[in-house]
Amino acid sequence: MRAKRIGVVGAGYVGLTTAACFAHLGHRVICADADTAKIEALNAGEITLHEPGLRELVEDNRERLEFVTDNARALSDVDFAFVCVPTPTGPDGAADLSAVDQVLSEAPPTTRVVLKSTVPVGTAAKHPGVVSNPEFLREGHAVEDFLRPQRIVVGAQDERQAHEVAALYAPTKAPTVLTDNTSAELVKYASNCFLALKLSYVNTLAELCEHVDADIDGVTEGMRLDDRIGASCLQPGPGWGGSCLPKDTLALLATARAAGVDFATLEAAVSTNRHQPHRVADRIREELRTLDGARIGLLGLTFKAGTNDLRDSPALVVARLLVQEGAELTAFDPCVHEDRPNMRIAHRAADVAAGADMLVVLTEWPEFAELDWPELAERMADPRLYDTRNVVPGDKVREAGFRLIRTGR
């Protein structure tokens, strides 16, 4: 197909990835964001998002990319305008659509608007002519997910418009689902909330393993070989977080309540997830006998590996619980370099071990498996390690002199 002129409103994870990838596919893209500092940084070639491949895509396609602060530039004189602005959780648990509503109010009637922001079910139906095209981009894999997607979902009232938007993704050769707006919106929530259910299930299963002397790794290995279950989202941890699952579960629950539907399974998943950081803190307290004055080194703060995103990170919830009981915290994360409230940020993993009573792995960064465990053990007051993500090599850690505690063991 011939190159299109595409506008993108929003330069966050979704918007910037969308803009860069469409430019990579040969289209001319104008990306707008109200954050002047962010746009100035992008025009200077500075990208603060830790997203593999994104910096290179932006640099390689600058002749087809323009970054502006004026939304009107991205909404006028374009073939398609993609809305990629945040929809944070509001006070009642429902999504806050103020940013989406603002952009839609600014769009000229002749502009073909495509909603990529995650919006409550039924939103697009209130705006005739808007096309729904939910994103399925995982932080840390956003570029890969855009250029090699598992599926493309497009919802529209006009089938011709749906086909035109789907055609933009033709080079990816991904399976395409064409449906109505409301169903497309629900696909996004249904997918993310199912993943939340699965993660909460495996975390409770890990807790059960600890009580009945089973091994969660052996249990999940036996589960993932069943095609009906699959291998993804079976790794236990201190809870799920980030910019999507917490927000989307609450939004779908709000939609269900408004529709008079009792979504008990999803309510249980959310409740289970809120319990996980407390379970981690309880186990640390049990091991140390008291948290008051305990020196604890944290390995990992982001909500998952491969990103610098701290939003709704369970690691930060665990840290807050420890501080509330008087623990002294030092933390290391490959993507966090500024001090956080009530904790010191170290520049090396080894530095968190100095004088520590315990180390706690809270994010599954693969480099944590390769640490110099004898060095860390020598630096500690008492070499104890709680691996909430089960990523460290057990034999090497024990040989270095650590008492090792693992999730689901």
Side-chain angles (χ1 to χ4, degrees), residues 302-364:
T302 56
F303 84 94
K304 71 172 186 176
T307 178
N308 59 353
D309 199 343
L310 293 166
R311 287 177 289 181
D312 278 307
S313 172
L316 295 184
V317 180
V318 172
R320 185 176 70 248
L321 294 172
L322 298 178
V323 167
Q324 287 174 352
E325 295 193 41
E328 300 175 15
L329 305 182
T330 302
F332 170 76
D333 188 290
C335 281
V336 179
H337 308 294
E338 297 182 359
D339 282 349
R340 303 284 306 173
N342 300 311
M343 76 175 76
R344 183 178 67 86
I345 301 298
H347 298 295
R348 297 189 312 137
D351 292 338
V352 304
D357 300 303
M358 176 180 276
L359 298 181
V360 184
V361 177
L362 291 172
T363 310
E364 73 282 16

Coordinates of all heavy atoms in Angstrom, one line a residue, residues 302-364:
T302 N 11.7 -2.3 39.6 CA 10.7 -2.2 38.5 C 9.6 -3.3 38.6 O 9.9 -4.4 39.2 CB 11.3 -2.2 37.1 OG1 12.1 -3.4 37.0 CG2 12.2 -1.0 37.0
F303 N 8.5 -3.1 38.0 CA 7.4 -4.1 38.2 C 7.7 -5.4 37.4 O 7.2 -6.4 37.8 CB 6.0 -3.5 37.7 CG 5.8 -3.6 36.3 CD1 5.0 -4.7 35.7 CD2 6.2 -2.6 35.4 CE1 4.8 -4.8 34.4 CE2 5.9 -2.7 34.0 CZ 5.2 -3.8 33.5
K304 N 8.6 -5.3 36.5 CA 9.1 -6.5 35.8 C 10.4 -6.2 35.1 O 10.8 -5.0 35.0 CB 8.1 -7.1 34.8 CG 8.0 -6.2 33.5 CD 7.1 -7.0 32.5 CE 7.1 -6.2 31.2 NZ 6.3 -6.9 30.1
A305 N 11.1 -7.2 34.7 CA 12.4 -7.0 34.0 C 12.2 -6.5 32.6 O 11.1 -6.6 32.0 CB 13.2 -8.3 33.9
G306 N 13.2 -5.7 32.1 CA 13.1 -5.2 30.7 C 12.5 -3.9 30.6 O 12.3 -3.4 29.5
T307 N 12.2 -3.2 31.7 CA 11.6 -1.9 31.7 C 12.1 -1.1 32.8 O 12.6 -1.6 33.8 CB 10.0 -2.0 31.7 OG1 9.5 -0.7 31.7 CG2 9.6 -2.7 33.0
N308 N 11.9 0.3 32.7 CA 12.3 1.1 33.8 C 11.0 1.7 34.5 O 11.0 2.6 35.2 CB 13.1 2.3 33.4 CG 12.5 3.2 32.3 OD1 11.4 2.8 31.8 ND2 13.1 4.3 31.9
D309 N 9.9 1.0 34.3 CA 8.6 1.4 34.8 C 8.4 1.0 36.2 O 8.5 -0.2 36.5 CB 7.5 0.8 33.9 CG 6.2 1.6 34.1 OD1 6.0 2.3 35.1 OD2 5.3 1.4 33.2
L310 N 8.1 1.9 37.1 CA 7.9 1.6 38.5 C 6.4 1.7 38.9 O 6.0 1.5 40.1 CB 8.6 2.6 39.4 CG 10.2 2.6 39.3 CD1 10.8 3.8 39.9 CD2 10.7 1.3 40.0
R311 N 5.5 2.0 37.9 CA 4.1 2.1 38.2 C 3.5 0.8 38.8 O 3.6 -0.2 38.2 CB 3.3 2.5 37.0 CG 3.6 4.0 36.6 CD 2.9 4.3 35.3 NE 3.5 3.7 34.1 CZ 3.1 3.8 32.8 NH1 2.0 4.6 32.6 NH2 3.7 3.2 31.9
D312 N 2.9 1.0 40.0 CA 2.2 -0.2 40.6 C 3.2 -1.4 40.8 O 2.7 -2.5 40.7 CB 1.0 -0.6 39.9 CG -0.2 0.3 40.3 OD1 -0.5 0.5 41.5 OD2 -0.9 0.9 39.4
S313 N 4.4 -1.1 41.0 CA 5.4 -2.2 41.2 C 5.2 -2.9 42.5 O 5.2 -2.2 43.6 CB 6.8 -1.7 41.1 OG 7.7 -2.7 41.4
P314 N 5.0 -4.2 42.5 CA 4.9 -4.9 43.8 C 6.1 -4.8 44.6 O 6.1 -4.9 45.9 CB 4.6 -6.4 43.4 CG 5.1 -6.5 42.0 CD 4.9 -5.1 41.4
A315 N 7.3 -4.6 44.0 CA 8.5 -4.4 44.7 C 8.5 -3.2 45.6 O 8.9 -3.2 46.8 CB 9.7 -4.3 43.8
L316 N 7.9 -2.1 45.1 CA 7.7 -0.9 45.9 C 6.7 -1.1 47.1 O 6.9 -0.5 48.1 CB 7.3 0.3 45.1 CG 8.3 0.7 44.0 CD1 7.8 1.9 43.2 CD2 9.7 1.0 44.6
V317 N 5.7 -1.9 46.9 CA 4.8 -2.2 48.0 C 5.5 -3.0 49.1 O 5.3 -2.7 50.3 CB 3.6 -3.0 47.4 CG1 2.6 -3.3 48.6 CG2 2.9 -2.2 46.3
V318 N 6.3 -4.0 48.7 CA 7.1 -4.7 49.7 C 8.0 -3.8 50.4 O 8.1 -3.8 51.7 CB 7.9 -5.8 49.0 CG1 8.9 -6.5 50.0 CG2 7.0 -6.9 48.4
A319 N 8.7 -2.9 49.7 CA 9.6 -2.0 50.3 C 8.9 -1.1 51.3 O 9.4 -0.9 52.5 CB 10.3 -1.1 49.3
R320 N 7.7 -0.6 51.0 CA 6.9 0.3 51.9 C 6.6 -0.5 53.2 O 6.6 0.0 54.3 CB 5.7 0.8 51.2 CG 4.9 1.8 52.0 CD 3.7 2.4 51.3 NE 2.7 1.4 51.1 CZ 2.3 0.9 49.9 NH1 3.0 1.3 48.8 NH2 1.3 0.1 49.8
L321 N 6.1 -1.8 53.0 CA 5.8 -2.6 54.2 C 7.0 -2.8 55.1 O 6.8 -2.7 56.3 CB 5.2 -3.9 53.7 CG 3.9 -3.9 53.0 CD1 3.5 -5.2 52.4 CD2 2.8 -3.4 53.9
L322 N 8.1 -3.0 54.5 CA 9.3 -3.2 55.3 C 9.7 -1.9 56.1 O 10.1 -2.0 57.3 CB 10.5 -3.7 54.4 CG 10.3 -5.0 53.7 CD1 11.5 -5.3 52.8 CD2 10.1 -6.2 54.7
V323 N 9.7 -0.8 55.4 CA 10.0 0.5 56.0 C 9.1 0.8 57.2 O 9.5 1.3 58.2 CB 10.0 1.6 55.0 CG1 10.1 3.0 55.6 CG2 11.2 1.4 54.0
Q324 N 7.8 0.5 57.0 CA 6.8 0.8 58.0 C 7.1 0.1 59.3 O 6.7 0.5 60.4 CB 5.4 0.4 57.5 CG 4.8 1.3 56.5 CD 3.5 0.8 55.9 OE1 3.1 -0.4 56.2 NE2 2.8 1.6 55.1
E325 N 7.9 -1.0 59.2 CA 8.2 -1.8 60.5 C 9.7 -1.5 60.9 O 10.2 -2.2 61.7 CB 8.0 -3.3 60.3 CG 6.5 -3.6 60.1 CD 6.3 -5.1 60.2 OE1 6.8 -5.7 61.1 OE2 5.4 -5.6 59.4
G326 N 10.3 -0.5 60.3 CA 11.6 0.0 60.7 C 12.8 -0.6 60.0 O 13.9 -0.4 60.5
A327 N 12.6 -1.3 58.9 CA 13.7 -1.8 58.2 C 14.5 -0.7 57.4 O 13.9 0.3 57.0 CB 13.3 -2.8 57.1
E328 N 15.8 -0.9 57.3 CA 16.7 0.0 56.6 C 17.0 -0.6 55.2 O 17.5 -1.7 55.1 CB 18.0 0.3 57.3 CG 17.8 0.9 58.7 CD 19.1 1.1 59.5 OE1 20.1 0.9 58.8 OE2 19.0 1.3 60.7
L329 N 16.6 0.1 54.1 CA 16.7 -0.5 52.8 C 17.8 0.1 51.9 O 17.9 1.3 51.9 CB 15.3 -0.4 52.1 CG 14.1 -0.9 52.8 CD1 12.9 -0.8 51.9 CD2 14.3 -2.4 53.2
T330 N 18.5 -0.8 51.2 CA 19.3 -0.3 50.1 C 18.9 -1.2 48.9 O 18.6 -2.4 49.0 CB 20.8 -0.6 50.4 OG1 21.2 0.1 51.5 CG2 21.7 -0.1 49.2
A331 N 18.8 -0.6 47.7 CA 18.2 -1.3 46.5 C 19.1 -1.1 45.3 O 19.8 0.0 45.2 CB 16.8 -0.8 46.2
F332 N 19.1 -2.1 44.5 CA 19.8 -2.0 43.2 C 18.8 -2.5 42.1 O 18.2 -3.5 42.2 CB 21.1 -2.8 43.1 CG 21.6 -2.9 41.7 CD1 22.3 -1.8 41.1 CD2 21.4 -4.1 40.9 CE1 22.8 -1.9 39.8 CE2 21.9 -4.1 39.7 CZ 22.6 -3.1 39.1
D333 N 18.7 -1.7 41.0 CA 17.9 -2.1 39.9 C 18.7 -1.5 38.6 O 19.1 -0.4 38.7 CB 16.5 -1.5 39.9 CG 15.6 -2.0 38.8 OD1 15.8 -1.7 37.6 OD2 14.7 -2.8 39.1
P334 N 18.9 -2.3 37.6 CA 19.6 -1.9 36.4 C 19.0 -0.6 35.8 O 19.8 0.1 35.1 CB 19.5 -3.1 35.5 CG 19.3 -4.2 36.4 CD 18.5 -3.8 37.5
C335 N 17.8 -0.3 36.0 CA 17.1 0.8 35.4 C 16.6 1.9 36.3 O 15.9 2.8 35.9 CB 16.0 0.3 34.5 SG 16.5 -0.4 32.9
V336 N 17.0 1.8 37.6 CA 16.6 2.8 38.5 C 17.9 3.4 39.1 O 18.7 2.7 39.7 CB 15.7 2.2 39.7 CG1 15.4 3.3 40.7 CG2 14.5 1.6 39.1
H337 N 18.1 4.7 38.9 CA 19.3 5.4 39.3 C 19.2 6.5 40.3 O 20.2 7.0 40.8 CB 20.0 5.9 38.1 CG 20.2 4.8 37.0 ND1 21.0 3.7 37.2 CD2 19.6 4.7 35.8 CE1 20.9 3.0 36.1 NE2 20.1 3.5 35.2
E338 N 17.9 6.9 40.6 CA 17.7 8.0 41.6 C 17.1 7.4 42.9 O 16.4 6.5 42.9 CB 16.8 9.0 41.0 CG 17.3 9.7 39.7 CD 16.4 10.8 39.2 OE1 15.3 10.9 39.8 OE2 16.8 11.4 38.2
D339 N 17.6 8.0 44.0 CA 17.1 7.6 45.3 C 15.6 7.6 45.4 O 14.9 8.5 44.8 CB 17.7 8.4 46.4 CG 19.1 8.0 46.7 OD1 19.6 7.0 46.2 OD2 19.8 8.8 47.4
R340 N 15.0 6.7 46.1 CA 13.6 6.6 46.3 C 13.3 6.9 47.8 O 14.2 6.9 48.6 CB 13.1 5.2 46.0 CG 13.3 4.6 44.6 CD 12.4 5.3 43.6 NE 11.0 5.1 44.0 CZ 10.0 5.6 43.4 NH1 10.2 6.4 42.3 NH2 8.8 5.4 43.8
P341 N 12.1 7.3 48.1 CA 11.8 7.6 49.5 C 12.1 6.4 50.4 O 11.8 5.3 50.1 CB 10.3 7.9 49.5 CG 10.0 8.3 48.1 CD 10.9 7.5 47.2
N342 N 12.8 6.7 51.5 CA 13.2 5.7 52.5 C 14.0 4.6 52.1 O 14.0 3.5 52.7 CB 11.9 5.2 53.1 CG 11.0 6.2 53.8 OD1 11.5 7.0 54.5 ND2 9.7 6.2 53.4
M343 N 14.8 4.8 51.0 CA 15.7 3.8 50.6 C 16.9 4.4 49.8 O 16.7 5.4 49.2 CB 15.1 2.6 49.8 CG 14.8 3.0 48.4 SD 14.2 1.5 47.4 CE 12.5 1.4 48.1
R344 N 18.0 3.8 49.9 CA 19.2 4.3 49.1 C 19.3 3.4 47.9 O 19.2 2.2 48.0 CB 20.5 4.2 50.0 CG 21.7 4.8 49.3 CD 22.9 4.7 50.2 NE 23.3 3.3 50.5 CZ 24.1 2.6 49.7 NH1 24.6 3.2 48.6 NH2 24.5 1.4 50.1
I345 N 19.6 4.0 46.8 CA 19.8 3.3 45.5 C 21.3 3.1 45.3 O 22.1 4.1 45.3 CB 19.2 4.1 44.3 CG1 17.7 4.3 44.5 CG2 19.5 3.3 43.0 CD1 16.9 3.0 44.6
A346 N 21.7 1.9 45.2 CA 23.2 1.5 45.0 C 23.4 1.5 43.5 O 22.5 1.3 42.7 CB 23.5 0.2 45.6
H347 N 24.7 1.7 43.1 CA 25.1 1.6 41.7 C 25.6 0.2 41.3 O 25.7 0.0 40.1 CB 26.3 2.6 41.5 CG 25.9 4.1 41.8 ND1 24.9 4.7 41.1 CD2 26.3 4.9 42.8 CE1 24.8 6.0 41.5 NE2 25.6 6.1 42.6
R348 N 25.8 -0.6 42.3 CA 26.1 -2.0 41.9 C 25.4 -3.0 42.8 O 25.0 -2.7 43.9 CB 27.6 -2.3 42.2 CG 28.6 -1.4 41.3 CD 30.0 -2.0 41.5 NE 30.4 -2.1 42.9 CZ 31.0 -3.2 43.4 NH1 31.4 -4.2 42.6 NH2 31.3 -3.3 44.7
A349 N 25.1 -4.1 42.3 CA 24.4 -5.1 43.1 C 25.1 -5.5 44.3 O 24.5 -5.7 45.4 CB 24.1 -6.4 42.2
A350 N 26.5 -5.5 44.2 CA 27.3 -5.9 45.4 C 27.1 -4.9 46.5 O 27.2 -5.3 47.7 CB 28.7 -6.0 45.0
D351 N 26.8 -3.7 46.2 CA 26.8 -2.7 47.3 C 25.5 -2.8 48.2 O 25.5 -2.4 49.3 CB 26.7 -1.3 46.6 CG 28.0 -0.9 45.9 OD1 29.0 -1.5 46.3 OD2 28.0 -0.1 45.0
V352 N 24.5 -3.5 47.7 CA 23.3 -3.7 48.5 C 23.6 -4.7 49.6 O 22.9 -4.8 50.6 CB 22.1 -4.1 47.7 CG1 21.8 -3.1 46.6 CG2 22.2 -5.5 47.2
A353 N 24.7 -5.5 49.4 CA 25.0 -6.6 50.4 C 25.8 -6.1 51.6 O 25.8 -6.8 52.6 CB 25.7 -7.7 49.7
A354 N 26.4 -4.9 51.5 CA 27.3 -4.5 52.5 C 26.5 -4.4 53.9 O 25.7 -3.5 54.1 CB 27.9 -3.1 52.1
G355 N 26.9 -5.2 54.8 CA 26.3 -5.2 56.1 C 24.9 -5.7 56.2 O 24.2 -5.5 57.2
A356 N 24.3 -6.2 55.1 CA 22.9 -6.6 55.1 C 22.6 -7.9 55.9 O 23.4 -8.8 55.9 CB 22.5 -6.8 53.6
D357 N 21.4 -7.9 56.4 CA 21.0 -9.1 57.1 C 20.3 -10.1 56.2 O 20.2 -11.3 56.5 CB 20.0 -8.7 58.2 CG 20.6 -7.8 59.3 OD1 21.6 -8.2 59.9 OD2 20.1 -6.7 59.5
M358 N 19.8 -9.5 55.1 CA 19.1 -10.4 54.0 C 19.1 -9.6 52.7 O 19.0 -8.4 52.7 CB 17.7 -10.7 54.5 CG 16.9 -11.5 53.5 SD 15.2 -11.9 54.0 CE 15.6 -13.4 54.9
L359 N 19.2 -10.4 51.6 CA 18.9 -9.9 50.3 C 17.6 -10.4 49.8 O 17.3 -11.6 50.1 CB 20.0 -10.3 49.3 CG 21.5 -9.8 49.6 CD1 22.4 -10.3 48.5 CD2 21.5 -8.3 49.7
V360 N 16.9 -9.6 49.1 CA 15.6 -10.0 48.5 C 15.5 -9.7 47.1 O 15.6 -8.5 46.7 CB 14.4 -9.3 49.3 CG1 13.1 -9.9 48.8 CG2 14.5 -9.5 50.8
V361 N 15.3 -10.7 46.2 CA 15.1 -10.5 44.8 C 13.7 -10.2 44.5 O 12.8 -11.1 44.8 CB 15.6 -11.7 44.0 CG1 15.3 -11.5 42.5 CG2 17.1 -12.0 44.2
L362 N 13.4 -9.0 44.0 CA 12.0 -8.7 43.8 C 11.6 -8.5 42.3 O 10.4 -8.4 41.9 CB 11.7 -7.3 44.5 CG 11.7 -7.5 46.0 CD1 11.6 -6.1 46.7 CD2 10.5 -8.4 46.5
T363 N 12.6 -8.4 41.4 CA 12.4 -8.3 40.0 C 13.2 -9.3 39.3 O 14.4 -9.6 39.7 CB 12.7 -6.9 39.4 OG1 12.1 -5.9 40.3 CG2 12.3 -6.7 38.0
E364 N 12.7 -9.9 38.2 CA 13.3 -11.1 37.6 C 14.4 -10.7 36.5 O 14.5 -11.3 35.5 CB 12.3 -12.0 37.0 CG 11.6 -11.5 35.7 CD 10.5 -10.5 36.0 OE1 10.5 -9.9 37.1 OE2 9.7 -10.3 35.0

